[in-house]
Amino acid sequence: MNHGEDEYFLHHLPILSNTPLQPSKSLPSDDLRNFRLLLKWCALDHSSSSGKAVSYMMFVVFTLLVPIISCLSIKTPRTRPSSVMDANSFNVLVQFPESGLAVIGFLTLICFFRIYSLTQLLFLDDSTLVRLGYSRELDKALRYLAYILVPSFLVELVHKSIFFSSAEVSFPFIKSSCAALNFVMFFLVLFSWVYRTGVFLLVCILFRLTCELQILRFRGLHKLFDRCGSDTIEDVCKEHVRIKKQLSATSHRYRFFIIAAFVVISTSQFVALLLVLASKSDRSFLSSGDLVVCSAVQLSGFFLCVLGAARITHRAQGVVCIATRWHMALTCASEAVSPESDTDSSDNIYINVSPSLDLSSFFQARQALVEYLRHNNKGITLYGYALDRGLLHTLFAFEFSLVMWILSKVVVLS
């Protein structure tokens, strides 16, 4: 969120009592209706036996059967130019990472929905601040999905239209006109692409949304430092322990998806690079459109996850700074730094120290709190390694360099 959104949440919080943010008993039944509707449209609704059956059937058909059939049935006549043959080669190549990421995403969602409800998965059953801001974060997550999926679909639609007008589809023991087979396969391949891409991006959006909701909880934790009494230390510890458990649970739930997606994406980029360098024909939109769309979707979804993890890890590490400044302000018995002196509103605390308050009575407790936060600020981790900005920069440099090298060999503006 930007500076204005930070100010909104910080100044529209209800006044906190002497206890941390209290769990809410229930959420309105229609709070997540848009997300549940999206799951139904993607055939990922596992709330009933019929929904599970449809989900498994759609997965097998559009993730496994259609890609295999398309690879075996689409032929390029020898009389056609080499760009058409390259297009078929790239079409076969992109089927593997697209199906692989869809399998990873589908297995992740199955494991989630078998154990957790959507409310439990997003940790929406507590925190007043989260209830104030989660609707906005949910709408933003759905917009992210649309920003990635819609432009990619339009490019894929144009490419597949051109591709199937040049290729031939043939099945043994089936006698039908070429135009009819091409149209049927065009529809199935396009729907398969939408399904597989949607499943992968849906898990990415779900992870990003979970991280953004945790950022709201950290804003609530920051507000606890407004008070100067000794009860603040106990409240901060309880709230931080609860957030830490949720971050640990999130890390364990998504670590397979993140690592497996990174392996599949990196492998597919290397293989694509080798195939591009091995091809000696001229590059065109017809021959390389599939590869461009596949790379763009893969990296958009993956870095959506990594950026979300880096943001929440940055917030977790920033708590130490706020606690240190709070400890310093109370120790010196003076006001904290003015908000105008810092551009990051999340680092600002407002402490009005009463002259009658005995600040030295809980000095050691404050010091212990700062030390505790300093050693428990990793945020989202993968087997102990924090997904922070340093790791993000490394991954971005690696993947971006690889993809730009591929695109420089593939894309020709003519």
Side-chain angles (χ1 to χ4, degrees):
M1 286 189 179
N2 55 31
H3 178 78
E5 291 174 324
D6 279 337
E7 290 291 334
Y8 172 83
F9 284 109
L10 286 172
H11 292 292
H12 287 77
L13 265 176
I15 298 177
L16 295 173
S17 62
N18 292 331
T19 57
L21 298 176
Q22 297 296 328
S24 57
K25 294 182 179 179
S26 62
L27 289 169
S29 59
D30 59 343
D31 280 340
L32 295 171
R33 62 183 181 276
N34 291 334
F35 209 97
R36 291 192 177 97
L37 183 61
L38 178 62
L39 292 176
K40 290 183 179 179
W41 277 99
C42 294
L44 296 172
D45 181 19
H46 285 211
S47 59
S48 61
S49 300
S50 59
K52 290 181 181 179
V54 172
S55 179
Y56 284 113
M57 182 185 68
M58 294 284 286
F59 171 76
V60 172
V61 171
F62 291 107
T63 304
L64 303 177
L65 293 182
V66 172
I68 293 175
I69 293 174
S70 66
C71 292
L72 297 177
S73 63
I74 298 177
K75 308 295 181 182
T76 52
R78 296 181 178 180
T79 56
R80 298 294 174 88
S82 58
S83 60
V84 179
M85 298 181 183
D86 284 343
N88 190 35
S89 300
F90 287 130
N91 175 67
V92 174
L93 170 66
V94 300
Q95 302 302 323
F96 294 98
E98 287 179 354
S99 294
L101 292 175
V103 170
I104 295 170
F106 187 79
L107 293 178
T108 302
L109 291 176
I110 287 179
C111 295
F112 287 167
F113 296 147
R114 185 176 298 174
I115 304 174
Y116 314 103
S117 65
L118 193 56
T119 301
Q120 294 172 334
L121 189 62
L122 297 174
F123 302 105
L124 285 178
D125 54 351
D126 55 14
S127 182
T128 303
L129 180 57
V130 173
R131 294 197 62 185
L132 290 175
Y134 86 93
S135 296
R136 177 185 300 209
E137 296 300 334
L138 179 60
D139 293 339
K140 185 184 295 185
L142 295 178
R143 287 199 301 270
Y144 284 151
L145 180 62
Y147 293 157
I148 299 174
L149 189 59
V150 173
S152 302
F153 172 76
L154 295 178
V155 176
E156 186 72 8
L157 177 62
V158 174
H159 176 266
K160 282 294 183 284
S161 300
I162 300 175
F163 175 75
F164 277 95
S165 64
S166 305
E168 292 183 359
V169 180
S170 60
F171 293 95
F173 310 112
I174 296 181
K175 297 181 180 180
S176 180
S177 63
C178 181
L181 286 177
N182 276 30
F183 177 78
V184 171
M185 186 54 60
F186 165 77
F187 176 79
L188 291 176
V189 167
L190 195 62
F191 197 93
S192 173
W193 179 88
V194 173
Y195 177 82
R196 290 179 292 172
T197 304
V199 170
F200 168 65
L201 291 179
L202 190 60
V203 182
C204 297
I205 292 297
L206 197 60
F207 176 75
R208 178 61 180 261
L209 178 59
T210 305
C211 293
E212 294 297 326
L213 294 180
Q214 293 296 336
I215 291 179
L216 298 181
R217 290 183 174 86
F218 273 111
R219 291 198 181 101
L221 181 63
H222 297 169
K223 292 293 290 183
L224 292 177
F225 287 98
D226 289 354
R227 303 197 306 272
C228 302
S230 59
D231 59 334
T232 301
I233 299 175
E234 182 180 359
D235 294 346
V236 170
C237 284
K238 290 181 179 179
E239 185 66 11
H240 188 270
V241 167
R242 189 167 62 89
I243 296 176
K244 181 184 175 183
K245 289 181 179 179
Q246 293 179 356
L247 292 178
S248 178
T250 302
S251 301
H252 282 78
R253 292 173 186 177
Y254 288 94
R255 63 186 180 184
F256 166 76
F257 173 78
I258 294 176
I259 294 176
F262 175 74
V263 172
V264 171
I265 292 173
S266 300
T267 303
S268 68
Q269 297 300 314
F270 276 120
V271 174
L273 177 62
L274 294 176
L275 184 60
V276 168
L277 295 178
S279 176
K280 298 181 179 180
S281 61
D282 295 334
R283 307 293 180 267
S284 65
F285 177 72
L286 173 60
S287 63
S288 59
D290 261 336
L291 185 59
V292 173
V293 174
C294 180
S295 298
V297 170
Q298 288 176 0
L299 291 181
S300 298
F302 180 74
F303 279 109
L304 198 65
C305 293
V306 179
L307 285 172
R311 277 171 54 83
I312 188 60
T313 302
H314 175 67
R315 291 284 180 167
Q317 295 170 349
V319 173
V320 180
C321 177
I322 294 178
T324 304
R325 293 172 60 187
W326 169 77
H327 178 41
M328 179 192 68
L330 290 182
T331 302
C332 299
S334 60
E335 291 190 358
V337 180
S338 174
E340 287 77 12
S341 64
D342 201 323
T343 56
D344 187 359
S345 62
S346 65
D347 289 340
N348 295 317
I349 53 178
Y350 310 89
I351 302 174
N352 294 318
V353 181
S354 174
S356 61
L357 184 62
D358 185 7
L359 299 175
S360 61
S361 61
F362 58 105
F363 175 86
Q364 293 181 346
R366 297 199 310 269
Q367 184 68 26
L369 174 62
V370 173
E371 290 299 321
Y372 162 77
L373 294 176
R374 182 176 292 126
H375 292 88
N376 293 272
N377 62 344
K378 286 189 175 181
I380 300 295
T381 60
L382 293 179
Y383 297 101
Y385 294 95
L387 286 176
D388 54 10
R389 292 181 175 181
L391 182 60
L392 174 63
H393 294 160
T394 303
L395 292 177
F396 180 79
F398 174 76
E399 293 290 346
F400 186 76
S401 300
L402 183 60
V403 171
M404 293 308 297
W405 190 16
I406 293 175
L407 296 183
S408 66
K409 299 292 184 179
V410 172
V411 178
V412 174
L413 301 178
S414 60

